[in-house]
Amino acid sequence: MKILVTGHRGYIGAYLTGLLKAEGYSVTGVDLDLYEECKLEDFTQPDKAIHKDFRNLTHEEIKGHDAVMHLAAISNDPMGELNPQLTLNVNLHGSVNLAEKAKEAGVQRFLYSGSCSVYGKGDKLDLEETDPVNPLTAYARSKIETEKEVSKMADENFTPVFLRNATAYGYSPMLRIDLVVNNLLASVHAYNEIRIKSDGSPWRPLIHAKDIARAFVALNQAPKENVHNKIINIGGNRENYQVKDIADQIKKLVPDSKIVFTNEVGDDPRNYRVKFDLLNHLVPEFELEYTLDKGMKELHDKYTESHFNKEDFEGDKFVRLRLLKNKLNQLNP
């Protein structure tokens, strides 16, 4: 089986290629490599690499693949707000166009990397896939609209699957620290302080980057009738945390650190706790490899090994928003 992965050199993609090849798949990777500076370690490379914007893929480059796993995107809420129109061009229009090309090229399965951030400020806790969404950012809106548009393409020959990923965290060879867990732990290595930008009360569902990649593999292998045109929350019911709970666990990991509330963002309106029962039902054999404790311990060790410090925390290379600001002219929206 041949798999095309967009964003194979990203935070999650760095895991996905290796997992796919371990299963015996042939992998084509597509990536602009905008974030090459954040690479900490070598990782498995695809059988074929295409260095280009996924929006410019041709019919011939897509043809012959059995599945497309679409990870490439402007990848979180702050980045999306930097240029909302660019976010729509890439995340919505680009993704819908890629799905159309994939269908025309005979690709059978299209797995789309979405986000639980679409729930925004939830009307209730423990949100399921059938509950109303409340996207608060251009990024979240682009993910919802892509689900709607690509879903219309589903037929007996084309199976879209929509992964609404919990908030990613954890070590990756293509490291990023602009994620709540990674950022809080990174601030310990920079200042010996766990710097919380809100009041710590918002809920977040969490999932290790490798477990997101593992979910892509599992959903690609699942029977078509189980996943055809399904929206599926990706995470674990026990892995919902308030930000202040994350800080408390980091404090246990690094006892001499200090919890500091900086109040940089004031009241964070994004507050959602998510249920993952559908994933457990559709793919019962899939289980998370990482708990928050395990993932933070690994990340703490990697920060220590790489001598992560204040300069790294305040610099550009591990923060996607800062890197994107420097490279916007390369995207040519």
Side-chain angles (χ1 to χ4, degrees):
M1 179 177 283
K2 294 186 66 176
I3 312 291
L4 187 148
V5 177
T6 70
H8 75 283
R9 293 185 60 80
Y11 179 62
I12 297 165
Y15 280 119
L16 183 53
T17 297
L19 291 170
L20 289 170
K21 293 190 72 170
E23 293 290 321
Y25 299 130
S26 174
V27 181
T28 300
V30 181
D31 204 302
L32 272 173
D33 210 12
L34 287 177
Y35 308 117
E36 58 185 333
E37 293 96 333
C38 71
K39 180 182 174 184
L40 277 189
E41 294 182 324
D42 290 332
F43 53 93
T44 305
Q45 295 303 304
D47 299 280
K48 178 182 179 181
I50 301 174
H51 186 268
K52 66 162 51 176
D53 189 323
F54 75 86
R55 293 175 292 173
N56 297 327
L57 283 169
T58 66
H59 178 91
E60 288 303 314
E61 288 170 327
I62 298 172
K63 187 178 180 181
H65 292 92
D66 301 285
V68 169
M69 298 183 177
H70 182 36
L71 279 68
I74 293 176
S75 57
N76 64 10
D77 293 316
M79 289 175 68
E81 294 306 299
L82 177 63
N83 186 329
Q85 188 55 53
L86 174 62
T87 301
L88 290 177
N89 286 345
V90 175
N91 291 7
L92 171 56
H93 305 309
S95 298
V96 171
N97 183 253
L98 176 63
E100 291 172 342
K101 290 178 180 177
K103 182 174 180 177
E104 291 170 1
V107 172
Q108 297 174 358
R109 198 167 294 198
F110 185 89
L111 295 97
Y112 176 68
S113 189
S115 171
C116 283
S117 68
V118 300
Y119 296 116
K121 185 175 178 59
D123 293 333
K124 63 173 187 176
L125 294 178
D126 298 322
L127 293 156
E128 299 178 281
E129 292 85 351
T130 54
D131 287 316
V133 295
N134 185 18
L136 300 177
T137 63
Y139 168 76
R141 290 191 295 273
S142 73
K143 293 295 182 180
I144 283 293
E145 292 303 316
T146 300
E147 289 178 356
K148 291 178 181 177
E149 292 304 312
V150 176
S151 178
K152 297 174 185 176
M153 303 178 200
D155 61 25
E156 61 182 10
N157 298 314
F158 186 70
T159 293
V161 187
F162 306 99
L163 289 77
R164 282 188 185 167
N165 302 319
T167 301
Y169 76 93
Y171 175 73
S172 164
M174 298 294 283
L175 183 66
R176 57 186 298 187
I177 64 169
D178 52 347
L179 298 160
V180 61
V181 174
N182 295 12
N183 186 266
L184 292 176
L185 189 53
S187 70
V188 172
H189 285 260
Y191 312 107
N192 205 37
E193 294 178 347
I194 307 165
R195 295 189 169 185
I196 302 175
K197 297 179 181 180
S198 67
D199 66 0
S201 65
W203 283 92
R204 291 287 188 278
L206 300 174
I207 184 171
H208 195 282
K210 184 178 180 182
D211 279 328
I212 295 177
R214 292 177 60 248
F216 269 88
V217 177
L219 290 169
N220 184 62
Q221 294 175 339
K224 175 182 175 179
E225 59 270 19
N226 285 18
V227 299
H228 180 74
N229 208 21
K230 292 280 201 316
I231 294 170
I232 306 168
N233 293 333
I234 306 299
N237 289 339
R238 295 182 179 180
E239 295 299 299
N240 284 283
Y241 298 88
Q242 287 180 285
V243 174
K244 59 185 178 182
D245 297 331
I246 301 169
D248 288 340
Q249 292 204 35
I250 294 175
K251 175 72 173 173
K252 292 178 182 178
L253 183 64
V254 190
D256 65 342
S257 61
K258 179 182 179 181
I259 297 177
V260 176
F261 292 87
T262 68
N263 203 34
E264 291 174 48
V265 299
D267 292 333
D268 189 341
R270 298 168 301 165
N271 182 42
Y272 46 94
R273 199 167 71 194
V274 178
K275 293 181 70 174
F276 302 94
D277 295 347
L278 182 61
L279 173 64
N280 297 334
H281 173 70
L282 296 177
V283 195
E285 66 276 11
F286 178 78
E287 295 181 357
L288 298 183
E289 180 179 321
Y290 284 87
T291 61
L292 179 59
D293 281 344
K294 178 180 176 180
M296 285 200 305
K297 175 63 167 61
E298 177 189 61
L299 182 61
H300 177 54
D301 290 344
K302 291 291 187 178
Y303 280 153
T304 301
E305 290 171 14
S306 64
H307 305 289
F308 188 94
N309 55 36
K310 179 181 177 181
E311 288 70 30
D312 293 322
F313 188 84
E314 296 178 352
D316 292 347
K317 68 178 181 178
F318 297 122
V319 179
R320 297 294 196 264
L321 178 62
R322 297 172 194 162
L323 281 170
L324 184 60
K325 283 181 177 178
N326 295 336
K327 297 186 175 185
L328 267 176
N329 61 334
Q330 298 179 25
L331 289 178
N332 189 28

